[in-house]
Amino acid sequence: MGKTFKAARTAGVGVAAVASLAAFAGPASARPAHHSSRSGAPVFVQTDRTTGNTVVAYSRAADGSLEQRRVYATGGLGGKQDGAVVDNLASQGSLTYDKAHRLLYSVNAGSNTITVFSVQGDQLVRRQVIASGGTFPVSVTVHGNLVYVLNALDGGSVQGFLRVGEKLLKVPSWHRALGLDPNATPQFTHTPAQVGFTPDGSRLVVTTKGVGNSIDVFPVSTLGISAKPVVTPTPGAVPFGFTFDAAGRLVVTEAGSNSVATYAFGRDARLAKVSEVATGQAATCWVVRDGDNFYAANAGSGSLTRVHGGADGSLQVLGNTSTGAGTVDAAVSSDGEFLYAQTGAVGGVDEFRVNGDGSLTKVASTAVPEAVGGEGIVAL
């Protein structure tokens, strides 16, 4: 997120249809053990071009390096928040894969829409472009047949959708305004950053960065999310990206203190901090999990910090790995053998092999066409 962090820290749906289709999938599983690399498995990268958003498809070689296949237009426009330099959307989760249904969701922040692609190997077929239900969508999450989108501007909001086949159906009653200050500046440090379901689908989590300095948790039922979130204040922390450990605890980056923290959920959906470690880097904003290891991306330092998570939720920093300038979003391949980190300052992707001890070895770097400032990456 850059040095600024140091200075600032339509159509209704019948209830019967909702109830019948909104069944939750089972808990997300931990990363499988390493096995032989799956050559040809695709990696998708969103460019967030303001003149026309695209998703670039790559195939993966056995050594983890990438080969470009094709560029797919989303049918929408990318966007850029005021103050952003290497991270136009200032968010995590702007490109999201639904493995169960082989669908890829892409945000079009500049046109307030979401694109649905079906995935066929490294090929995409655009199935739908639909309004996001708010202004400047930045993050998407999916669980079972439920899809929620985080809109960052005009005070922030989340909008729920029902997946029907290969398309989304907006449910008007599943809209929640976050009530954040729409005039807080700069935008990129004072807007919500990510929306995500807990692994069991029972809660929806939103991080609010500096505008709220809180982590908001909405309990989820078959009729949608709760009317209001349970808010856990995190004064000065600037909570940004998050993922979950094997026990379902929240692992979140805190850009205000350049740290990674673990939170446990209470029965009332309130959070209690379990552990926190400083990365020693600048603009610690994104985080991805690979087994018991978490990799935090530090945009201001051009690095990835490896953090080991204990069974009790404790965290330990194990070192830093240099990347290209402006490290932003990252993804781990489904076999756990490779990590791909976007470098927003140059519009590229750095490719790393994940070694047996969790350390990273750089394989290659790939330039993504017209992707400076772009965010959003998925590795299959």
Side-chain angles (χ1 to χ4, degrees), residues 289-341:
R289 174 189 168 201
D290 189 5
D292 293 332
N293 289 305
F294 301 91
Y295 299 88
N298 310 294
S301 302
S303 65
L304 293 162
T305 299
R306 179 163 61 105
V307 179
H308 183 265
D312 59 355
S314 60
L315 300 173
Q316 180 184 8
V317 173
L318 296 180
N320 297 298
T321 301
S322 295
T323 69
T327 324
V328 288
D329 216 345
V332 171
S333 60
S334 59
D335 58 17
E337 293 196 358
F338 300 100
L339 183 149
Y340 298 93

Side-chain angles (χ1 to χ4, degrees), residues 30 69 73 89 110 119 121-122 124 146 172 177-179 183-184 210 218 252 270 305 317 326-327 340 358 369:
R69 290 303 187 187
L89 301 180
V119 180
D122 59 18
L124 301 178
L146 306 181
L178 298 179
N183 300 312
F218 293 87
V252 60
R270 203 167 298 277
T305 299
V317 173
T327 324
Y340 298 93

Side-chain angles (χ1 to χ4, degrees), residues 167-184:
K167 293 187 176 181
L168 298 180
L169 183 61
K170 185 173 74 171
V171 183
S173 63
W174 292 356
H175 181 274
R176 299 289 182 270
L178 298 179
L180 304 172
D181 181 359
N183 300 312

Side-chain angles (χ1 to χ4, degrees), residues 224-297:
I225 62 175
S226 60
K228 295 183 178 180
V230 176
V231 177
T232 299
T234 59
V238 192
F240 194 108
F242 61 84
T243 184
F244 300 90
D245 68 9
R249 288 176 290 248
L250 184 71
V251 179
V252 60
T253 54
E254 297 182 333
S257 55
N258 293 311
S259 61
V260 180
T262 305
Y263 290 85
F265 290 90
R267 296 184 65 180
D268 62 353
R270 203 167 298 277
L271 296 168
K273 184 174 284 189
V274 176
S275 181
E276 179 181 355
V277 290
T279 64
Q281 304 293 288
T284 302
C285 298
W286 295 265
V287 63
V288 64
R289 174 189 168 201
D290 189 5
D292 293 332
N293 289 305
F294 301 91
Y295 299 88

Side-chain angles (χ1 to χ4, degrees), residues 64-148:
S65 59
L66 300 180
E67 180 180 353
Q68 183 177 323
R69 290 303 187 187
R70 188 173 172 182
V71 178
Y72 296 89
T74 67
L77 304 177
K80 182 176 181 179
Q81 293 197 32
D82 291 344
V85 179
V86 299
D87 51 341
N88 290 355
L89 301 180
S91 69
Q92 180 167 304
S94 63
L95 190 67
T96 298
Y97 181 57
D98 179 354
K99 180 180 179 180
H101 304 103
R102 297 182 181 179
L103 297 174
L104 187 71
Y105 301 103
S106 172
V107 305
N108 302 304
S111 52
N112 303 327
T113 58
I114 303 297
T115 300
V116 183
F117 291 101
S118 61
V119 180
Q120 302 170 4
D122 59 18
Q123 299 181 30
L124 301 178
V125 177
R126 193 169 74 202
R127 299 298 183 183
Q128 183 185 30
V129 180
I130 186 172
S132 68
T135 306
F136 207 90
V138 296
S139 183
V140 185
T141 186
V142 59
H143 195 279
N145 294 321
L146 306 181
V147 175
Y148 272 81

Side-chain angles (χ1 to χ4, degrees), residues 346-361:
V346 295
V349 173
D350 283 355
E351 299 121 68
F352 297 91
R353 172 178 290 279
V354 181
N355 301 312
D357 62 355
S359 61
L360 301 176
T361 299

